[in-house]
Amino acid sequence: MGRGKLRIYLGAAPGVGKTYAMLSEAHRRVERGTDCVVGFVEHHSRPRTEVMLHGLELIERCEIEYRGSTFTEMDVDAILARRPAVALVDELAHTNVPGSRNAKRWQDVEELLHAGIDVVSTVNIQHLESLGDVVETITGVRQRETVPDEVARRADQIELVDMSPQALRRRMAHGNVYKPDKVDAALSNYFRPGNLTALRELALLWVADRVDEYLQEYRGEHNIRSTWQARERIVVGLTGGPEGRTLIRRAARLAEKGAGGEVLAVYIAASDGLTSASPKELALQRTLVEDLGGTFHHVIGDNISDALLEFARGCNATQIVLGVSRRRSWQYAFSPGVSATVARESGPDLDVHIVTHDEAAKGRGLPVARGARLGRSRIIWGWLAGIAGPALLAVLLNQLVPDLGLANDMLLFLTFTVAAALLGGLLPALASAAFGSLLLNYFFTPPLHEFTISDPKNIVAIAIFVGVAVSVASVVDLAARRTHQAARLRAESEILSFLAGSVLRGENSLDALLERLRETFAMQSVVLLERSSEVDPWTTAASVGTSPVSRPEEADVDLPIGDNMALALTGRVLPAEDRRVLGAFAAQAAVVLDRQRLVDEAEKSRELAEANRIRTALLAAVSHDLRTPLAGIKASVTSLRSDDVEWSEDDKAELLEGIEDGADRLAALIGNLLDMSRLNTGTVVPLIRETDLDEVVPMALGGVPEDSVALDIPETLPMVAVDRGLLERAVANIVENAVKYSPDGQPVHVSASALASRVELRVVDRGPGVPDEAKNRIFEPFQRHGDAPRGAGVGLGLAVARGFTEAVGGTLTAEDTPGGGLTMVITLPIAGDVPPVSPELPTSAVT
């Protein structure tokens, strides 16, 4: 009997509809006449899921006694005895009650599959064993029930049940997933938009990898060698040289442009082991590609081009990234090179990128060395062609064809002179002309084997030969000079264009400009120096590189910028022709420095303007909000002291209560003003120590009525590292603000929970709420949202609360309350030496 087939519905989180989809499939199979039974389905009291069980055959669960309680589990024996064609088994990662047939439900499923029964099951992405640490980092919850990845990967079919985070949260808010009393807690903790988005991405990537495995298996079974561009897979060919890191980064950028792109770096070594790259460089490149999310491969092959193409087609790659060859120009005479060969033989299904690169520490460089304009190798080949070529030609002509004729001999010698001019320039050509004329005189001009010429015509011929050789050499040398000048002008124009563009773009990074200058001229360090006057010492405005100088006199190159500023470079002495570009850099550096200082001054002006605005608002607050409670106190005191009216005891008590309320309001307003002043002046110095929230939060509720707040602070919370006094003031301001806007009969809920390395304190009200565009504005000083009455305060409570929260290393943000209202979330760091406590999820979220 064959093994049954396993089909899995995979979801990113509870509530996306995995069980519903599984039951829908069961109904379709039953309608087609398939013998299908429900082995175990957990509907979690969800009406729509529960309805889907109607019309399906259910296998009764077995009952197991454990520690005095009775639990129900799937009855594997009953299913095996029934032997249906298909069995529905929900929650593949479920842990069975001790005493069951197997410890895990996936082991029960394995038994059913071995018996030839097809199984349809469900699992969430967070229950896969390999993703446990990742899910804990994202959500702060460690999943205790997991299923090995291999079990899921062996499934014959995997279908992703997908749903956007916003749609899932709406489904939960409507009560379709959890009971109403659990909705707020779930939405505020595990089912936050960020958590759901991350879990959804994990599920999509995991399924994409599984699909890729299916594709590779199919291609292997059908011996398909052509590339199917279902996914961007980029192969980087490495030689072990320093350019490899540039190629890897370039490939990573290409992979980022396509969703799900993959980078595979490959180094191909010869099978005889005679050549190899630097192990240190390869180790660095391996680390780099792995840090960028790619993989490193070491392949053996005699022919590098064939081995690289074979590897790329074997892994179904879509692109190959190679570097420009580092070989000498004369080496192309023997073969076109790996890059050209791979590009030619790649075919239409592989794109080949040839990437330029530079040697490390050589900079971008302007052409500087006059002797290097033709290249060292070309000059060497020019001398060989000019000296060795005529000598070899003289020997061959003298031995093989001695009677070829002086005119033909001269043309042959002229060929080597022209070759020397083309390769090495003027000096090798002149030497070749002189050496060739001596050889012609000695071997081919009568009298032979003597350095004399008897026929005047031969003298003219040799003179013409020398003239033509010198002329050709001069033309070639002039062309090389013009090429050198054009290269310099092009490089200078690019640099000047960069400087002009940076001015237009308003770039203010002085360090980046100096680094570009250092790279351009391949210098060791670049320093911008300035001084207040000619008698003051130099100070460093900015510097890049190693061992910067402190005075212009100590530098290899110094360029004055005005009277009291200079640019100093160390590393080598630059030729005079580079001064123009260096002057452009210097002028731009001075402009950028001035711009930075103007930006700093503008920022200071903005701060002064903000302080002036706060001062104006403070005066307005003092003129009205502070005078209002003072006026009430003054009126009550005047009434009590009046001799014209005989006040009853109740009247006196009411007036005294009014005085007390006014004094309390006045004290709160003055306290907030003083706190805001401390925050603006930076004089708040928190005393951080380990604190229990259940000791601080209740103390902050003293200013609100007892029945206006519902407190839920678990004693199992870890300790937080905060300043108790500052945190108490922050919580007090937030709670008072929430109570102020909450409707009558709706208490403010204050709860706390631990998530990973932080603790969140949430203050939830059912008031009118705040629109998204105003959520940040309510934390600004002297801001009151909407039509808050003037007596509601000066608008400093939330500003002070955020300032104190940030002072103790926490954050304060505003969120919408599900169902209406505003939720203030204080996030605090857990004390370092106390391990975090993971919150418990509802049972349906865990399973």
Side-chain angles (χ1 to χ4, degrees), residues 59 75-84 112 115 117:
I59 302 295
D75 194 338
V76 180
D77 292 328
I79 299 175
L80 292 175
R82 170 67 174 75
R83 298 197 63 81
L112 299 180
I117 301 174

Side-chain angles (χ1 to χ4, degrees), residues 152-158 209-219:
R153 289 183 179 277
R154 285 202 306 265
D156 299 275
Q157 298 180 55
I158 297 178
D209 287 339
R210 185 68 184 100
V211 172
D212 193 62
E213 291 176 9
Y214 280 134
L215 180 61
Q216 294 297 337
E217 292 174 4
Y218 180 84
R219 285 167 51 85

Side-chain angles (χ1 to χ4, degrees), residues 22 26 87 114 166 202 212 239 348 379 389 410 515 628 666 693 713 744 754 783 832:
M22 180 181 67
H114 283 299
Q166 293 78 11
L202 279 178
D212 193 62
T239 63
I379 294 176
M410 293 179 64
E515 180 63 25
T628 299
L666 186 61
L693 281 183
I713 307 294
D744 295 337
Q783 296 291 326

Side-chain angles (χ1 to χ4, degrees), residues 664-844:
D664 290 340
R665 288 180 54 194
L666 186 61
L669 291 174
I670 294 176
N672 279 334
L673 289 172
L674 293 176
D675 290 339
M676 200 68 224
S677 175
R678 293 170 59 200
L679 289 171
N680 287 334
T681 57
T683 58
V684 177
V685 181
L687 177 60
I688 304 297
R689 58 181 178 178
E690 296 181 359
T691 304
D692 283 323
L693 281 183
D694 57 358
E695 297 179 358
V696 177
V697 177
M699 299 295 295
L701 306 182
V704 296
E706 293 183 3
D707 57 348
S708 63
V709 177
L711 192 60
D712 181 17
I713 307 294
E715 296 181 357
T716 57
L717 283 177
M719 302 180 73
V720 293
V722 296
D723 184 304
R724 297 185 60 174
L726 297 182
L727 179 61
E728 181 180 333
R729 290 296 306 278
V731 174
N733 283 359
I734 296 172
V735 172
E736 290 173 6
N737 184 78
V739 171
K740 184 188 308 177
Y741 289 98
S742 290
D744 295 337
Q746 292 284 344
V748 173
H749 290 271
V750 180
S751 61
S753 59
L755 294 171
S757 60
R758 63 190 187 275
V759 169
E760 286 190 352
L761 181 67
R762 310 179 75 86
V763 181
V764 182
D765 67 60
R766 293 293 181 179
V770 176
D772 292 339
E773 62 272 13
K775 281 188 172 64
N776 284 327
R777 193 166 60 248
I778 62 176
F779 294 105
E780 297 178 2
F782 303 104
Q783 296 291 326
R784 289 179 294 188
H785 178 65
D787 298 327
R790 293 297 298 175
V794 295
L796 286 176
L798 293 182
V800 171
R802 170 171 276 189
F804 282 174
T805 303
E806 293 177 350
V808 299
T811 59
L812 174 59
T813 56
E815 299 178 356
D816 290 329
T817 301
L822 188 67
T823 298
M824 291 291 181
V825 183
I826 299 179
T827 303
L828 301 170
I830 289 178
D833 55 349
V834 178
V837 178
S838 299
E840 295 293 336
L841 283 179
T843 305
S844 51

Side-chain angles (χ1 to χ4, degrees), residues 104-173:
K104 292 285 190 176
R105 182 163 294 162
W106 63 264
Q107 295 171 331
D108 296 337
V109 169
E110 286 292 320
E111 283 199 42
L112 299 180
L113 294 173
H114 283 299
I117 301 174
D118 294 346
V119 176
V120 182
S121 187
T122 64
V123 72
N124 285 326
I125 191 66
Q126 66 264 28
H127 295 300
L128 295 179
E129 194 168 314
S130 65
L131 300 178
D133 294 338
V134 179
V135 172
E136 183 180 11
T137 302
I138 295 171
T139 65
V141 178
R142 183 65 182 183
Q143 299 296 332
R144 298 181 178 87
E145 295 186 329
T146 60
V147 60
D149 286 51
E150 185 59 28
V151 174
R153 289 183 179 277
R154 285 202 306 265
D156 299 275
Q157 298 180 55
I158 297 178
E159 182 172 337
L160 178 65
V161 182
D162 190 26
M163 178 176 287
S164 69
Q166 293 78 11
L168 179 56
R169 285 173 59 86
R170 283 197 302 270
R171 175 181 288 185
M172 295 188 66

